[in-house]
Amino acid sequence: MAKNQSAIKRIKTSERNRLINRKYKSAVKTLTKRCFTNIDNLENSNLDDVQLSIAQVYSKIDKAIKKGAFHPNTGARKKARLARAFAYAQKQQN
């Protein structure tokens, strides 16, 4: 266990940041799974609902990047995978 004051404060800060990061990452995973489910069921669901869920995921990813929970490249990769899946599903539907 740390003895000096700065190390104790650093432990508290890192624990707080870890919990905040975990919250963002969990929310992004949950929304992404929901979005992929909507994309898979594109013929049954409304196109506007799918686009709305994609917008929600994009927003949450951008917030996570802004807070530092994700590296910018990681966020870009996650958004690109969603966009690619959506484009593929639209192509298959037509």
Side-chain angles (χ1 to χ4, degrees):
M1 187 65 193
K3 292 186 179 181
N4 61 358
Q5 195 64 30
S6 62
I8 292 170
K9 183 178 178 184
R10 192 69 193 137
I11 289 170
K12 287 181 185 178
T13 305
S14 64
E15 179 64 17
R16 183 190 68 220
N17 291 342
R18 185 185 71 84
L19 293 175
I20 291 170
N21 290 345
R22 194 169 82 175
K23 182 181 79 167
Y24 274 105
K25 289 180 182 185
S26 175
V28 167
K29 283 181 189 176
T30 303
L31 289 172
T32 303
K33 286 179 187 177
R34 256 189 232 150
C35 190
F36 277 126
T37 304
N38 287 345
I39 289 172
D40 288 341
N41 301 325
L42 187 61
E43 61 273 353
N44 297 337
S45 60
N46 190 0
L47 186 64
D48 293 334
D49 294 339
V50 175
Q51 289 176 334
L52 180 66
S53 68
I54 289 174
Q56 288 174 340
V57 176
Y58 276 23
S59 174
K60 188 59 87 170
I61 289 172
D62 289 337
K63 287 177 185 174
I65 292 170
K66 184 177 172 185
K67 284 287 187 178
F70 284 143
H71 188 276
N73 291 354
T74 303
R77 185 178 67 241
K78 289 180 181 293
K79 291 194 288 189
R81 285 180 180 163
L82 274 172
R84 187 173 54 210
F86 181 61
Y88 182 76
Q90 276 188 319
K91 187 177 177 182
Q92 293 291 24
Q93 189 182 24
N94 292 335

